[in-house]
Amino acid sequence: MPQKRLIWLVSILILLSGCAVLGVSHYDDLFGPEQPRSRVVSYSQGGAKYLQQVKPVLDNRCVVCHGCYDAPCQLKLSSPQGIDRGLSKTLVYDGTRLLAESPTRLLFDATTTAQWREKGFSAVLNERVQTEYANLHGGVMYQSLLLKQRNSFPEQTILGNEYDFSLDRAQSCPTRDEYDDYAKANPHGGMPYGLPALTSHEFAQLQNWLEQGAQMGEIAPPSKEIQKQVDKWEQFLNQSGNKPQLAARYIYEHWYLANIYFANYSHNTFFKLVRSKTPPGTPIELIATVRPFDDPKVPRVYYRLMHERSTLLSKTHLPLALDDHKMSRLYSQFLGGDYEVNALPGYAPKLAANPFKTFAAIPVKSRYQFMLDEAELIVKGFIKGPVCRGQIALNVINDHFWVAFVDPDKNANPAVEALLVEHDDDLLLPAAEQSNVLPLSSWAKYAKRQSDYLKAKTELSNQIFNHGGKLDLDLIWQGDGHNPNAALTIFRHFNSATVVKGLVGQQPKTAWVLDYALFERIHYLLVAGFDVYGNIGHQLITRLYMDFLRLEGEQNYLNLLPKSHRQEIKKYWYRQSHLSLSEFINRKSLLGAESLIEYQTDDPQSELYLKISERLSDVLHQEYDYRAVPEGLKQLNRLPIAAVKTLPQVTFILARDEQGAHQAYTLLRHNAHFNISSLLNESGQRAYEEDYVTVLPGFVGDYPEAIWYLPNQAHVEAFTAGFAQVVDEASYRALKAQFGIRRTHPQFWQYSDLLHDVARRYRGVEFGLFDYNRLENR
């Protein structure tokens, strides 16, 4: 062998051997190689200790930041499976990726700890030799807790610039091999991040648990009575025949995000409706598709109720009560109807992503009534789906608006049904493109289809209302006389949002009226068809298409106003707006027919709000009636604009009344806009001088940004008087020092526990832990 070639080979071998040495972990030498394992054990084997002593600490100190899809480092501590899975350096929410990311959903996309390691997740628990020393020093969780204990944390002050609380902050997500270097460079980076350390007792509980091998137990299985209900519902949803199977598919595609419970038996045992390869009576084998309508690749889909064992989080909790009345209602809507299903539809993307084609055999009235029965749940799905956050997704809506619905008897006449059949191709949604989309070409295609559909819809509406049909308040659904889902309020909080029943707060700038086709399209756009792991094109086309749907909902409302005022009011909503193609297309949907509602003033919009409120008065939900706030706090509704500008989006207030009981209130700041036409220049469209606030009873929102505590009436009066004097950041911080519970408050966790205790009382079955990732540092 020539000498040069020999030297070259030796060099390569040395290089490779060096790489091998570099690839060996220091902790492999200390504790042996990693062996991924599940820590879930039975109640008697150590699960009881976890459930009684460890889980409460993790829930109330850790899950409040590590719970959602985009929790820091994808570390979800809300279930044993999430703890076993560990952390990842890959972002779930990434608005710049060119190609869709592989999904990483717990229980769905991997079923063992070893499989998660193959997907790039690294352990937070020690997975090497199981000794007490190794279990502590070989695990990231213990090291991050210890780092916090070893470094002092400031009290009742503003944290320095070394702390980054932005949602898009760079994430290190160090493995155990990387953690020592991370700790040296970031002594402030211990957990809980940017919040006070655990008490010595809490730390000792977690230390002992980790030291003993971090065994975890699952919550108790459902009771026999509840299991009987599960069996009954699974039988109902899995009947033989085309008609029951198509109905079950429709129900599933609308309820799969819900936390289902049986109200007559328990308010804290929940289930997820899932697709399974296996029939009732056998273990569930999940069909793990990205979307609920993707091809299951099995001859028969079974719809099963899977016990939800994770800690409940306010931001993802969507409770849905089932009972015999609900089953009877579903039977009358879907199984008892006079229609036939000659063949079951397939799962090709362009068919499955179009509910108007897939479910054409089911009468429109049945589908629409089904959605209206749980309208708040369906709309909450737009907000509480897996994305958890996203300014780009939410800057398509205003900060405060009301929603009403077209009456199903008016919306399901033969002419409307024929319109949907004739234009079902025009109603195709972007999910047909799957998760990798070229946005510009796709947008042009969908813009043309929206234009064609709106033209036909407007022509039909003008024909109806110019030939005997009444364009009046009878078009508004009254909740069948008993259903509070007839009226909803949506609050946007910049990059999160909240939905509540009722027409809540002051009269808003805009409102929507949803008909069946619009309601269905929003669900399949933002929920069933949206892939949080999709590429930038998928996220962009979803946002652009939602422009069409928002405008359509607004114009359904505008059409109830006098013809002479419609364009003028819309121009006010879209001040300083360059005419976008979306607005040009939707301009065609303003009706030529005159409204038959009688107006008495030159402010018909205010009159219409009052008339809608009167029409729905028997079913309006009153839990968040802002008029019920005590007079002392009600003054906050009239804060001067200088004070309003200092406020975060969501503020929680705890106040003790004269009887010593704690009452909950929420102060919401609504950001005003000249228009919401711009995709990327939201700040340029802001009408800062028109911002306003609403004080509501209870807790509205899932991400408190500021927390205030008022122990008596004197503090309430001083607080409201002080807020009226706030003019800048300095005066806001001075008031916060008096009444605020800052991140650095030495009793922060005690107040956090109090906040959740009060929330349990207010929210009942809707209670879930709040998320502190947006808590301000001021």
Side-chain angles (χ1 to χ4, degrees):
M1 180 181 294
Q3 187 175 7
K4 287 185 179 180
R5 187 178 177 192
L6 179 61
I7 294 172
W8 178 79
L9 282 174
V10 170
S11 300
I12 291 295
L13 288 172
I14 292 173
L15 180 62
L16 289 175
S17 64
C19 290
V21 170
L22 289 173
V24 174
S25 166
H26 165 66
Y27 292 94
D28 287 350
D29 294 335
L30 287 176
F31 307 128
E34 288 185 296
Q35 295 180 336
R37 68 194 74 200
S38 171
R39 310 301 176 107
V40 180
V41 297
S42 68
Y43 191 83
S44 60
Q45 292 176 316
K49 179 180 179 181
Y50 170 78
L51 293 171
Q52 294 166 10
Q53 299 179 16
V54 177
K55 186 176 185 296
V57 179
L58 291 176
D59 284 352
N60 293 297
R61 302 293 179 262
C62 307
V63 175
V64 288
C65 288
H66 286 276
C68 196
Y69 275 75
D70 68 341
C73 302
Q74 293 195 53
L75 178 58
K76 291 184 68 173
L77 301 176
S78 51
S79 71
Q81 291 77 18
I83 296 172
D84 268 338
R85 181 179 72 168
L87 52 84
S88 170
K89 298 179 186 292
T90 302
L91 295 174
V92 170
Y93 189 83
D94 182 356
T96 63
R97 58 176 163 242
L98 299 178
L99 295 176
E101 190 70 42
S102 296
T104 52
R105 299 161 298 172
L106 278 173
L107 304 180
F108 283 84
D109 300 312
T111 57
T112 68
T113 310
Q115 288 172 349
W116 286 120
R117 297 294 168 267
E118 293 170 2
K119 289 180 177 290
F121 281 77
S122 59
V124 293
L125 303 175
N126 171 48
E127 293 189 333
R128 296 178 171 89
V129 63
Q130 295 294 290
T131 66
E132 292 183 357
Y133 182 83
N135 284 337
L136 293 183
H137 295 278
V140 168
M141 182 182 290
Y142 177 73
Q143 295 303 314
S144 65
L145 295 170
L146 185 63
L147 181 63
K148 188 71 170 195
Q149 297 288 324
R150 286 177 168 172
N151 290 276
S152 61
F153 188 68
E155 290 189 3
Q156 201 63 324
T157 187
I158 310 300
L159 294 172
N161 293 333
E162 68 272 19
Y163 288 92
D164 184 357
F165 297 114
S166 61
L167 287 179
D168 296 319
R169 64 181 179 268
Q171 296 186 26
S172 299
C173 311
T175 64
R176 183 63 191 96
D177 289 314
E178 299 164 339
Y179 198 84
D180 292 342
D181 290 337
Y182 169 82
K184 289 177 183 177
N186 300 276
H188 65 285
M191 296 295 157
Y193 181 77
L195 291 167
L198 306 184
T199 65
S200 57
H201 177 67
E202 292 167 340
F203 179 76
Q205 283 181 305
L206 294 189
Q207 176 176 311
N208 180 260
W209 167 67
L210 292 166
E211 194 173 43
Q212 298 304 313
Q215 295 174 327
M216 296 175 281
E218 299 278 22
I219 64 174
S223 67
K224 291 182 179 179
E225 292 78 8
I226 293 176
Q227 187 59 48
K228 287 180 181 177
Q229 294 300 309
V230 169
D231 295 342
K232 182 168 73 173
W233 274 88
E234 287 191 346
Q235 290 173 7
F236 175 77
L237 291 167
N238 291 286
Q239 298 175 62
S240 298
N242 290 348
K243 195 172 183 178
Q245 288 184 51
L246 185 63
R249 176 174 171 178
Y250 186 79
I251 292 168
Y252 165 74
E253 290 184 15
H254 291 77
W255 280 4
Y256 73 97
L257 287 180
N259 279 340
I260 291 169
Y261 69 103
F262 301 100
N264 295 331
Y265 299 89
S266 172
H267 282 202
N268 55 20
T269 302
F270 295 94
F271 299 85
K272 289 288 190 188
L273 185 58
V274 298
R275 296 197 298 180
S276 174
K277 301 174 184 178
T278 51
T282 62
I284 293 172
E285 291 186 30
L286 290 172
I287 296 171
T289 57
V290 172
R291 295 178 175 84
F293 52 73
D294 285 343
D295 190 349
K297 295 183 172 25
V298 293
R300 167 79 191 267
V301 172
Y302 297 96
Y303 299 96
R304 308 287 303 278
L305 290 169
M306 181 175 68
H307 189 203
E308 175 58 72
R309 294 171 295 186
S310 297
T311 301
L312 293 177
L313 306 166
S314 178
K315 59 193 173 183
T316 55
H317 184 36
L318 291 165
L320 170 64
L322 297 186
D323 54 22
D324 290 345
H325 175 75
K326 174 63 77 173
M327 185 179 287
S328 176
R329 176 70 165 170
L330 294 176
Y331 182 89
S332 66
Q333 288 171 333
F334 294 111
L335 304 185
D338 184 19
Y339 68 95
E340 299 293 330
V341 179
N342 296 320
L344 290 174
Y347 290 93
K350 288 190 177 181
L351 171 64
N354 188 336
F356 306 99
K357 281 183 175 289
T358 304
F359 303 106
I362 302 175
V364 166
K365 187 174 181 180
S366 294
R367 286 180 264 161
Y368 189 31
Q369 281 183 333
F370 167 79
M371 295 185 75
L372 291 177
D373 284 351
E374 304 292 345
E376 182 194 31
L377 174 84
I378 303 297
V379 175
K380 275 185 173 180
F382 310 164
I383 306 301
K384 296 195 175 194
V387 70
C388 291
R389 68 177 168 101
Q391 178 203 354
I392 290 179
L394 288 169
N395 71 6
V396 71
I397 62 174
N398 281 289
D399 269 43
H400 175 206
F401 60 97
W402 292 347
V403 179
F405 301 90
V406 174
D407 187 277
D409 289 330
K410 304 291 192 300
N411 200 197
N413 65 51
V416 173
E417 294 213 25
L419 174 73
L420 296 182
V421 171
E422 182 180 351
H423 289 272
D424 56 6
D425 283 330
D426 291 331
L427 298 172
L428 182 67
L429 291 155
E433 313 281 342
Q434 311 235 269
S435 300
N436 286 302
V437 178
L438 296 174
L440 294 181
S441 59
S442 297
W443 185 84
K445 175 173 60 179
Y446 291 110
K448 173 66 166 59
R449 288 172 170 165
Q450 173 74 354
S451 178
D452 291 346
Y453 167 70
L454 284 182
K455 179 180 179 183
K457 175 186 174 183
T458 305
E459 287 175 355
L460 175 62
S461 299
N462 278 321
Q463 181 181 346
I464 291 173
F465 295 127
N466 285 323
H467 294 85
K470 291 186 176 181
L471 181 54
D472 60 16
L473 284 175
D474 285 343
L475 288 169
I476 300 296
W477 180 52
Q478 289 183 289
D480 302 326
H482 62 83
N483 191 336
N485 284 279
L488 304 176
T489 298
I490 298 178
F491 297 109
R492 178 194 169 194
H493 321 300
F494 188 61
N495 52 21
S496 68
T498 303
V499 183
V500 296
K501 293 189 184 82
L503 302 176
V504 179
Q506 304 95 318
Q507 290 187 352
K509 176 182 174 182
T510 64
W512 296 2
V513 174
L514 301 184
D515 54 41
Y516 165 67
L518 181 53
F519 199 9
E520 192 79 276
R521 277 180 291 156
I522 297 177
H523 174 73
Y524 276 85
L525 178 74
L526 299 182
V527 184
F530 184 74
D531 177 15
V532 66
Y533 301 94
N535 77 334
I536 183 174
H538 170 69
Q539 298 183 37
L540 188 59
I541 191 62
T542 299
R543 160 60 174 84
L544 293 171
Y545 194 94
M546 187 57 204
D547 243 350
F548 299 145
L549 303 188
R550 181 200 70 249
L551 285 158
E552 190 176 340
E554 289 174 345
Q555 291 180 186
N556 285 347
Y557 165 78
L558 285 170
N559 286 330
L560 294 172
L561 292 165
K563 185 178 176 181
S564 57
H565 286 70
R566 292 171 193 163
Q567 199 61 45
E568 174 189 347
I569 291 172
K570 186 180 177 184
K571 282 182 179 178
Y572 175 73
W573 292 354
Y574 290 90
R575 289 169 290 162
Q576 301 185 17
S577 172
H578 299 292
L579 182 63
S580 69
L581 187 54
S582 297
E583 291 173 63
F584 176 75
I585 290 168
N586 281 270
R587 173 187 282 182
K588 302 174 184 178
S589 66
L590 280 175
L591 295 181
E594 182 58 271
S595 171
L596 297 183
I597 300 171
E598 294 185 6
Y599 293 98
Q600 306 298 323
T601 72
D602 198 39
D603 185 8
Q605 184 173 4
S606 180
E607 284 190 72
L608 181 55
Y609 281 146
L610 291 173
K611 290 177 184 294
I612 291 175
S613 298
E614 291 169 3
R615 177 171 173 79
L616 302 180
S617 59
D618 290 343
V619 297
L620 279 183
H621 197 59
Q622 302 296 332
E623 180 180 355
Y624 298 109
D625 186 348
Y626 82 123
R627 295 168 297 184
V629 173
E631 195 58 42
L633 287 172
K634 196 179 291 184
Q635 298 174 35
L636 295 172
N637 287 312
R638 300 182 288 275
L639 282 178
I641 191 62
V644 172
K645 289 179 179 180
T646 66
L647 283 168
Q649 305 301 123
V650 180
T651 297
F652 284 176
I653 300 171
L654 276 174
R656 282 178 62 179
D657 61 22
E658 294 178 355
Q659 288 71 44
H662 286 97
Q663 307 300 328
Y665 303 96
T666 303
L667 179 63
L668 297 178
R669 170 182 169 173
H670 311 302
N671 289 348
H673 300 80
F674 295 116
N675 66 80
I676 48 173
S677 299
S678 175
L679 173 63
L680 300 174
N681 184 31
E682 178 167 0
S683 61
Q685 312 302 327
R686 286 275 282 111
Y688 291 97
E689 300 301 316
E690 298 173 20
D691 290 0
Y692 64 101
V693 298
T694 307
V695 187
L696 302 172
F699 291 130
V700 175
D702 307 316
Y703 304 87
E705 295 172 66
I707 302 170
W708 304 80
Y709 183 70
L710 310 174
N712 54 50
Q713 185 59 33
H715 281 75
V716 170
E717 294 172 0
F719 171 71
T720 53
F723 236 126
Q725 303 303 314
V726 169
V727 295
D728 54 20
E729 182 66 16
S731 51
Y732 177 87
R733 291 186 178 188
L735 191 69
K736 194 80 178 282
Q738 279 186 278
F739 303 106
I741 308 301
R742 282 180 167 142
R743 284 178 166 273
T744 53
H745 195 291
Q747 283 83 47
F748 176 87
W749 291 118
Q750 289 92 318
Y751 283 107
S752 172
D753 291 341
L754 175 61
L755 192 76
H756 282 120
D757 287 343
V758 175
R760 282 186 182 90
R761 171 163 56 89
Y762 271 84
R763 290 192 166 187
V765 73
E766 295 187 353
F767 170 78
L769 293 172
F770 296 123
D771 187 290
Y772 290 153
N773 274 298
R774 291 163 171 78
L775 203 61
E776 67 182 11
N777 176 37
R778 298 170 69 192

